[in-house]
Every structure is written in C-alpha cells, then in structure tokens.
Amino acid sequence: APLSLATTVVDGFGGSVGVNFVAGADGGSPILHHEYSLDGGANWTALPPSANAGSFTLRGLTPGGRYPVVLRAVNAVGAGPASEATFFTLAASPDAPTITGATAGGGTAAVRFTPGADNGDPIVSHEYSVDGGPWVMVEYDGFADPLPFLEALITGLTDGVPAVIRVRSSNTIGASAASAPITVTSVSKPSAPTSVTVTPGPTSVTITVVPGDDGGEPITDWEYTIDGGETWITVSPRPTGTTFTVGELEEDAEYTISVRPVNAEGAGVPSDPITFTTGTPVDGSGVGGAGQLPYTGTDTRPLLALGMVLLAAGGALVVLRRRALRV
C-alpha cells in the first residue's frame, strides 16, 4: 500500500483537488498504476501511469462536499491493500446569514445579522434586498475574522409602509441563499401642519390645524409656544380632533404663537408663528393657511361699542327730524 497520502485543494471553482502520495513497496513486481476510491473502496478508478510519480488531480467534485479518498497500487499480480482514508472538503458558497433584529428610523432601517458558515472560503461581502428588489452591497469597512455581529443600514424607505428585507453573504465561490425575511416599518417625527388658523377670545385663542405628514406614526399630542420656542407646552386636555383652545391668556394682549405635532418618535416640525391680540380678530394665517376665522369670542365689548355708535347715530337723526318739523 502507499506509505502516505495527502490532499490539497487546487481549484475550488471547478470542484478540483490535488492529491499527493508516497508509493509503497512494489512487492517484487513493478507498479503498473494506482487506483483511487471516494466511497470507502466500493468503487475504484484507475489513474494514468503518470500518477505513479506521486501526484494527481481529482476533478468534477461538488463544492462543499466532504470526501474520503483512499489509494492503492496495482502490479502484474493484482491490486495491493488500500491506504488509510484522507478526508477533504471543497470550499462552497457561505451558508445563509441570520437576521437577529432591526431598528426603524425616518426612512431608514438598521438590520442586524449574523453571518453563516463560510464553508472553507472567507466571506468577502454582504448584500441586502428590499421587497424582493435588486441586491445592494452593505457598506462596511473591513470584515473581521471570524466575522462579528454585523448591521446593514438601509435607506430610501417610505415611512409608515412595511418593507420586507433579506440579506445574503458571498465568498469567492458565490453568494449564499437569502436569509429569512424581516418586516420593518420606518417612522419619523411628523411634519409641520399645512395650515394653522387662530380665533382669539378675551383670554384665550382657539386654534384649528390641518396636520401634515405624521411620519408613519399617529399624532398623539400638540404643543404650543408663546415665547419663541424657549418653552413648549402640551395642549391639555389632549385634543380629540384638529381644533383646540389655549387659555389663561391676558386680556387685550399681543401674542405670537406656534404649534407643532407630536408622535411616538417625538416632537415634529413647528408651524410658522402667528401674531394675534386677545379679543381682536386677526387678518393673517399660519403655514398654508386660507385666511383666519372671524371673531366668534364671547367678549361683549365690541358689541357694546357698536351699539353706542348706532345709538349716537339714531339720536342725531331724531334731533334733525325735530328741527326740520319746526321750520
């Protein structure tokens, strides 16, 4: 039998392996050729005489397969005993990675995953796919050996719309199968309201808003500021619609107010400021406004003033009429 046997992968792409051996004694008759078996000796394949020099190449093997190779010499008398088996495994594409979690942001998602086995050839890249679309390379500066926990930052998502994400890994043999999917819904803070209308009262102001984009999360609260944004106050009680009232204002006082929406991600973009005077109708409107509502407060002073004007005018008419009758 051959005295020693060793294998060396020659070409992982073609499924080939090189085998080196040291021939044993010829038993008194020259060795004609050698034979090898990959199934424990059940089947033997003859090698050309050129392999008698101590090396040959096995081709057409399956990458990722584990093979036991045994060798024996053949002379005129017959086949000698087989060598001990030497096992080798050809490199293959990696196993699929495993997604371990994801964190959603505004139009983004950070997907965490653990690479699978490299199957004998180092992993050189990772990719992700969104909703079955094209594979996109994960930007990462250098891959450790062994590979650590990794994270893919995915951009371009639409807030509030679920996205199905998969990842895969590649080595020089090829790409792995795709991971099991994870569904992520990106969210962000809400946009500014598209319209803000104010209606002043004697010591309050009623505000009507047209909300903008909620960022994929429902708007839960509204906040206002009357000091230029230094202090934001949550409207209380929580509005059930798009109209709410800010009270405890001073009479006949000028205020500049701005409002902003709040969702689970936090406070959104504030509206443009609106200036008004309590008890006095305003002429302008906020972002995207279509004009202010007329004054509908409960202060009776404007009505009393109007009554005094009408009363004075009526008195003048009475005096003139009396004078006319005397002429």
Side-chain angles (χ1 to χ4, degrees):
L3 298 179
S4 66
L5 185 65
T7 60
T8 302
V9 174
V10 176
D11 182 5
F13 289 101
S16 303
V17 65
V19 180
N20 301 304
F21 66 94
V22 176
D26 61 11
S29 178
I31 294 175
L32 300 177
H33 63 270
H34 288 80
E35 298 175 332
Y36 72 89
S37 174
L38 298 178
D39 56 10
N43 296 282
W44 292 92
T45 301
L47 294 167
S50 59
N52 292 344
S55 65
F56 61 94
T57 299
L58 297 176
R59 305 184 187 279
L61 305 178
T62 302
R66 188 170 186 267
Y67 297 91
V69 59
V70 293
L71 193 66
R72 70 183 182 183
V74 179
N75 61 13
V77 178
S83 67
E84 292 186 1
T86 295
F87 290 85
F88 66 90
T89 301
L90 286 182
S93 57
D95 289 343
T98 301
I99 294 177
T100 58
T103 302
T108 66
V111 177
R112 298 177 294 278
F113 64 96
T114 301
D118 64 11
N119 291 329
D121 191 49
I123 293 174
V124 295
S125 65
H126 302 277
E127 299 170 301
Y128 68 85
S129 173
V130 179
D131 294 331
W135 290 96
V136 180
M137 189 77 69
V138 175
E139 297 294 335
Y140 188 77
D141 293 332
F143 295 108
D145 187 16
L147 288 171
F149 166 92
L150 294 176
E151 186 174 81
L153 179 61
I154 299 170
T155 61
L157 304 181
T158 301
D159 288 340
V161 178
V164 179
I165 299 171
R166 295 174 174 84
V167 295
R168 71 180 184 183
S169 307
S170 295
N171 59 14
T172 58
I173 306 301
S176 72
S179 68
I182 188 171
T183 300
V184 179
T185 302
S186 67
V187 292
S188 61
K189 298 176 182 179
S191 302
T194 60
S195 174
V196 178
T197 303
V198 300
T199 303
T203 58
S204 65
V205 62
T206 299
I207 301 171
T208 300
V209 297
V210 177
D213 184 0
D214 64 8
E217 285 279 356
I219 294 173
T220 56
D221 286 291
W222 288 89
E223 296 177 338
Y224 69 91
T225 180
I226 54 176
D227 58 9
E230 293 185 15
T231 304
W232 287 91
I233 303 170
T234 301
V235 175
S236 181
R238 176 177 291 177
T240 57
T242 56
T243 298
F244 49 88
T245 298
V246 174
E248 299 184 4
L249 304 180
E250 296 182 4
E251 295 185 16
D252 298 318
E254 183 177 275
Y255 290 92
T256 297
I257 194 168
S258 182
V259 298
R260 68 184 183 185
V262 180
N263 66 7
E265 293 298 301
V269 181
S271 67
D272 289 339
I274 301 175
T275 299
F276 66 92
T277 301
T278 51
T280 303
V282 295
D283 297 325
S285 65
V287 179
Q292 299 305 320
L293 297 176
Y295 173 75
T296 58
T298 58
D299 188 2
T300 58
R301 287 175 296 176
L303 297 177
L304 290 174
L306 179 59
M308 294 298 293
V309 171
L310 294 175
L311 182 60
L317 290 174
V318 170
V319 171
L320 289 175
R321 181 169 178 79
R322 287 178 177 177
R323 287 180 178 176
L325 291 173
R326 291 177 180 177
V327 175

